[in-house]
Amino acid sequence: MKIDSLRRYLLALALLGTVAACSGGTEAAAPTPSKAAPPVAAKPKVLRFTGIPNDNTTELKAKYTPLADHLSKQLGIKVEYVPSADYNASVDAFKNGDILLCWFGGYTGLQARNAVPGARVIACGKNDKTFHSYFVANKSLGIEKSAEFPMALKGRKFTFGSASSTSGRLMPEYFIRKLAGMSPKEFFGAEMSNQTSHDKTAKLVEAGTYEAGAMDYATYDRMVKEQKLDPDLCRIVWVSPEYPDYHFCAHPLVDQLFGAGFTDKLQEVLVAIQDPALLAGMNRPEGLIPAKNEDFDTLRTAALEAGLVR
């Protein structure tokens, strides 16, 4: 057989074999269908919030968890309270979007809104637009309470609250500069000393570790009421002029995650709270009222004078 004929013959045999394999009596095994990957459950959207830190995180969790449960029920979403180590941690978490609702002090709220365009003040206590600080002193100083700025504190061992606290640092520093005509360093003769919370400031002055200090009036009043502070040992010597302070601030991601207008709904739910236990947990027994960014802009002047913002 010629070579070309042989090639054609062998090719024909190969083709016949292929057809037989496909259509003969024995069927080729059907390919095993691949198993579909199980659907990935959508990660639940959670609105996390935090409050003003103090030294007792267990106490804060006990107070704020019921508020989270209430908001979850009223809003139809999962709301979770997240404790914060300090003021700076609260601001950082808000900036990163890890916290979407925060109970800020005036200065920390200012920091947060500067860093997060679109952040909104939505509510505050009825008395938070007319807040004030207490200057307190240990009984041993013998300083009496007065309507006049306590110049007798000059040169005393003094402690402020957190460096980021409105009522414990920003406004007390502003009033010292304005009314004493000196910086805190010049007035007290030493660099600023700061604490992590108002509770700690009060207890250090009560113990005499510091002769005097500045703190949030609401914390002082609460501690005295709960018999956690002796007002005879830690005495109020001056009440500052009024200024705006604490407020709830919402991240712009709230509307992006939960739908347009959700921030307004959140505001309505907060302002509608009447449960005494929930309001007591926020130390706002008088209730909450609507608020907006412009209500707190006066703090910028004080922060500028103290060199805390640019």
Side-chain angles (χ1 to χ4, degrees):
M1 183 180 291
K2 293 182 178 180
I3 293 176
D4 287 343
S5 298
L6 178 60
R7 286 175 177 169
R8 286 195 292 271
Y9 177 74
L10 292 174
L11 178 60
L13 287 178
L15 290 172
L16 287 173
T18 301
V19 172
C22 295
S23 58
T26 304
E27 295 184 357
T32 303
S34 59
K35 291 184 178 180
V40 178
K43 189 175 181 179
K45 298 175 182 177
V46 180
L47 194 160
R48 294 183 176 86
F49 81 94
T50 194
I52 296 298
N54 71 19
D55 288 340
N56 193 333
T57 56
T58 301
E59 178 184 59
L60 286 178
K61 185 173 182 180
K63 287 183 176 182
Y64 280 119
T65 298
L67 176 60
D69 294 340
H70 174 79
L71 294 177
S72 295
K73 183 178 179 180
Q74 296 297 315
L75 296 168
I77 62 169
K78 182 174 176 56
V79 179
E80 178 182 296
Y81 167 69
V82 179
S84 182
D86 54 39
Y87 287 91
N88 290 331
S90 297
V91 174
D92 288 342
F94 191 84
K95 286 163 59 176
N96 297 334
D98 296 327
I99 298 296
L100 300 183
L101 176 67
C102 194
W103 179 244
F104 278 130
Y107 175 52
T108 46
L110 178 62
Q111 287 179 303
R113 292 191 298 282
N114 280 349
V116 183
R120 281 179 55 191
V121 175
I122 58 174
C124 67
K126 290 182 179 179
N127 298 329
D128 285 316
K129 292 182 183 180
T130 55
F131 212 78
H132 47 270
S133 297
Y134 284 163
F135 276 51
V136 295
N138 186 271
K139 177 182 179 179
S140 63
L141 292 187
I143 300 175
E144 297 297 327
K145 184 177 180 181
S146 171
E148 301 298 321
F149 183 80
M151 293 298 294
L153 293 178
K154 189 175 188 300
R156 297 297 186 175
K157 188 177 180 182
F158 189 93
T159 184
F160 291 87
S162 165
S164 298
S165 170
T166 307
S167 53
R169 184 273 172 93
L170 172 60
M171 296 311 297
E173 177 177 353
Y174 172 76
F175 292 126
I176 290 169
R177 291 177 181 275
K178 182 178 179 180
L179 301 177
M182 292 176 260
S183 70
K185 182 178 179 179
E186 292 168 332
F187 187 71
F188 297 113
E191 293 290 348
M192 274 186 164
S193 172
N194 295 101
Q195 305 306 321
T196 55
S197 71
H198 300 291
D199 307 60
K200 191 169 184 179
T201 297
K203 296 303 289 184
L204 287 171
V205 173
E206 178 187 51
T209 306
Y210 286 88
E211 293 177 292
M215 63 178 296
D216 158 2
Y217 88 94
T219 299
Y220 181 97
D221 290 350
R222 172 182 56 80
M223 292 178 73
V224 170
K225 183 178 180 180
E226 296 174 356
Q227 298 184 339
K228 295 179 178 178
L229 184 70
D230 186 341
D232 185 51
L233 292 177
C234 181
R235 297 179 170 182
I236 302 168
V237 296
W238 187 65
V239 180
S240 78
E242 296 175 346
Y243 54 85
D245 198 350
Y246 295 97
H247 55 276
F248 273 111
C249 188
H251 198 288
L253 280 175
V254 170
D255 277 2
Q256 294 180 35
L257 289 175
F258 302 104
F262 199 88
T263 300
D264 293 332
K265 183 178 179 181
L266 175 58
Q267 180 184 52
E268 292 171 4
V269 170
L270 285 169
V271 171
I273 294 175
Q274 297 182 0
D275 184 336
L278 294 178
L279 294 174
M282 294 182 280
N283 297 320
R284 294 301 179 273
E286 73 282 358
L288 301 174
I289 58 174
K292 57 185 184 298
N293 291 12
E294 292 74 16
D295 295 333
F296 295 81
D297 281 350
T298 55
L299 294 175
R300 185 177 294 276
T301 300
L304 283 168
E305 289 191 15
L308 298 177
V309 298
R310 296 179 180 178

